[in-house]
Amino acid sequence: MVKADPNGAAEAAVGFLRGTDEELQLEGLRFLETAPYGARIGRALVGALGAGSSAVRVRALAILARQRESRAFDPLVERVKRGSTGELTVAEARAAGEALASVDPARARPLFKEWARPSGLLGRLAPGQTILRWAAVSGLAHLPGRDSEDLLEWLSHHTAD
């Protein structure tokens, strides 16, 4: 199908992402990784962040990061915040942190600082704080600069997570 009708193959891959079968979703992502990237594929990948499978979400995050899809920044932040209280796995939080650092480093840095070192006692004890820290640490590791290094060092001395 890829050779005979590349556009049809892309349509099928996007359709697989809309389904619920993890194996088909992963197959669709395998194709989209090598397909010519465009807004339509970007929207499909952002939509895949709501998939029921963590493996599908992690794979979609990796592709978005590789494509540096800046339009995905806000949906990624929402996904991490919403999922931090239960459904987000550590692997997904790490992939999300890396994706955020890749798609918009300037906007990601202050967000990571907030997640890594929230203000006030309630912020530090909020549900999901551990997952937010995983995302922050993973993202900060991909952002060069002394402030990233300082925050990572502070975290290594002040958290047991």
Side-chain angles (χ1 to χ4, degrees):
M1 183 172 189
V2 172
K3 290 179 183 178
D5 183 10
N7 289 336
E11 180 67 36
V14 168
F16 288 166
L17 291 182
R18 287 190 220 116
T20 58
D21 184 279
E22 178 183 33
E23 195 172 320
L24 286 177
Q25 289 174 322
L26 290 170
E27 188 60 38
L29 289 170
R30 273 189 283 283
F31 175 78
L32 294 177
E33 277 183 298
T34 60
Y37 191 80
R40 186 162 178 272
I41 290 176
R43 285 190 300 274
L45 293 170
V46 168
L49 299 179
S53 163
S54 177
V56 170
R57 295 188 305 259
V58 168
R59 188 77 171 262
L61 285 164
I63 299 169
L64 287 166
R66 208 168 23 261
Q67 294 296 335
R68 301 189 187 285
E69 178 58 76
S70 62
R71 294 171 292 195
F73 188 86
D74 290 331
L76 283 170
V77 170
E78 279 306 306
R79 174 73 186 125
V80 172
K81 287 181 178 179
R82 191 177 60 248
S84 68
T85 57
E87 104 182 38
L88 215 66
T89 65
V90 170
E92 189 176 353
R94 292 175 65 187
E98 292 171 15
L100 288 165
S102 176
V103 301
D104 197 334
R107 289 177 64 196
R109 188 180 302 277
L111 183 67
F112 293 155
K113 288 179 182 178
E114 176 188 325
W115 289 351
R117 201 172 178 177
S119 60
L121 179 62
L122 292 178
R124 288 189 296 275
L125 298 177
Q129 189 56 44
T130 300
I131 289 294
L132 293 176
R133 275 201 178 126
W134 273 110
V137 166
S138 297
L140 285 167
H142 288 82
L143 295 178
R146 187 67 204 157
D147 55 339
S148 292
E149 293 172 20
D150 289 344
L151 187 53
L152 289 170
E153 186 176 327
W154 182 89
L155 279 168
S156 73
H157 295 296
H158 291 89
T159 60
D161 298 339

